[in-house]
Amino acid sequence: MRTIEDLGNLEGKTVLVRSDFNVPLDDQRVITDDGRIRAALPTLNKLINANAKVVVMAHLGRPKGQVKPEFSLAPVADRLSELLNRPVRLASDTIGEDAHRAIAAMSNGDVVLLENVRFDKREDSKDDAQRAELAAEYAKLADAFVSDGFGVVHRKQASVYDVAQLLPSAAGDLVFKEIDSLSKATKNPARPYTVVLGGSKVSDKLGVIDNLLGKADRLLIGGGMGYTFLKAQGYEVGHSLLEEDQIDAVKNYMKRAQETGVELLLPVDVVIADKFAPDAQRKVVSATEIPADWEALDIGPKTAELYAQKIADSETVAWNGPMGVFEFEAFAEGTKAIAQAMQDAHGFTIVGGGDSASAVRNLGFDESKFGHISTGGGASLEFLEGKTLPGIAVLGDE
Ligand code: ADP
Ligand code: MG
């Protein structure tokens, strides 16, 4: 994989950088977690210090190929400017007149942010020719391309994949760090290697489970996906999240885990609620005794302790997906316990997944005590699954 250093002297060169600024916004369009913007700073500062003209492109949300003001990168430009401690001019388009004008007016070390790349439907088109056409327009803007949006490298999109083929291109520091850290779980992981999986849907994570059954020593299952496993074992799960159509797949995984000697653990106790609400009535029950008219919204304390022990006794731990509805304080304990165990672990710890990373930050944990907190959701999962990510492959062999 080529790095920024491989691009040579960048003084006075216009460098197009793809970053991942897809941050969560509240109703007032205030950024609620700026982790992804912070993660982009090392690359941007490196290019600024190299006296390049730094042109950044990114997406926000899913405007589906239309210019929609509510998906403008304006809040990101403001936050980025604060964090870089220098002006960031937001161009009102991506390849249009304003972008060209803004770039023409740049001095060395300046930063311009182009407007949401997904305002153009060719950006994520399935049609190669359409993407290539747009990528050719991107390429006209710059002398070199740096791919630093790790959260999008699993996507074959014009600003990620196609443009990298048209300009001298390299991985930015964030992408490099992500691959370097995540590789500790995929290439000869130190053992025992434990994977903690949670989140809402089994169907989102089938690929990971499938792939990890051949790699991990232990799989600890929690979160909403756990109830499909409990149901597959014949237990009542009440109104808990359940994917009936995944029961067969889950049965098959449990069988394969047994055959291959992978320790697959399910919750032994759960926290149940009489409704899906922050002020619901709350009870701890055995995982095999969920009443038919209640729903489980978190793992229970015995499960949390058991999983924490398994994490403490591991050399590599990868965690994806919250253990419960951590957005409700009453059902955040399980997720907190896992985050705490990860923070205290002596093994190398990786947190992947947008909601999991937000949970770690928003529940007040010390990010520096984790081995690696990935900025990627789908990208980190696909990497852990062992898939080839197009946005990485295009940057040259490792
Ligand atoms: P990530 O973004 O880290 O990959 P997911 O998107 O898969 O995680 O899942 C996160 C969501 O799962 C959270 O919004 C959380 O509320 C939800 N969740 C976790 N456990 C449960 C549960 N028991 N019932 C309903 N939702 C759950
Ligand atoms: Mg998520």
Side-chain angles (χ1 to χ4, degrees), residues 71-250:
F71 292 102
S72 166
L73 282 167
V76 170
D78 292 344
R79 187 76 190 111
L80 181 60
S81 168
E82 280 167 28
L83 291 169
L84 286 173
N85 204 10
R86 61 175 62 236
V88 171
R89 154 106 148 80
L90 175 68
S92 62
D93 53 34
T94 309
I95 50 169
E97 257 176 51
D98 198 47
H100 282 274
R101 201 181 310 129
I103 294 169
M106 289 175 93
S107 302
N108 294 355
D110 279 356
V111 180
V112 163
L113 175 63
L114 304 178
E115 194 43 286
N116 197 335
V117 289
R118 291 197 186 161
F119 283 173
D120 190 317
K121 69 175 184 341
R122 292 173 294 179
E123 165 66 14
D124 55 6
S125 168
K126 296 269 175 282
D127 179 343
D128 293 350
Q130 282 199 4
R131 286 197 323 274
E133 184 185 276
L134 179 60
E137 294 296 320
Y138 293 153
K140 285 182 195 160
L141 302 172
D143 305 306
F145 173 69
V146 170
S147 178
D148 209 33
F150 181 72
V152 285
V153 290
H154 60 315
R155 304 279 188 213
K156 227 178 187 183
Q157 297 179 345
S159 67
V160 178
Y161 176 76
D162 303 88
V163 68
Q165 303 177 55
L166 302 177
L167 287 171
S169 62
D173 288 15
L174 175 63
V175 161
F176 189 82
K177 185 176 117 204
E178 289 270 9
I179 298 296
D180 192 48
S181 298
L182 294 172
S183 295
K184 293 187 183 161
T186 54
K187 286 188 189 155
N188 293 317
R191 296 184 183 278
Y193 170 27
T194 298
V195 178
V196 189
L197 280 180
S200 43
K201 286 181 166 174
V202 189
S203 48
D204 281 354
K205 314 221 162 146
L206 284 179
V208 220
I209 302 176
D210 199 32
N211 188 272
L212 288 174
L213 280 178
K215 295 204 167 105
D217 302 301
R218 296 177 186 140
L219 272 178
L220 316 182
I221 307 279
M225 65 165 19
Y227 309 108
T228 302
F229 281 83
L230 289 172
K231 182 80 181 183
Q233 292 197 318
Y235 298 114
E236 170 69 55
V237 297
H239 298 308
S240 309
L241 272 190
L242 173 65
E243 286 175 277
E244 298 268 6
D245 57 341
Q246 301 298 335
I247 289 180
D248 283 342
V250 159

Side-chain angles (χ1 to χ4, degrees), residues 199-200 205 223-224 227 241 296-297 320-322 324-327 353-356:
S200 43
K205 314 221 162 146
Y227 309 108
L241 272 190
L297 295 186
N320 174 281
V325 184
F326 72 96
E327 296 93 337
D355 292 293
S356 312

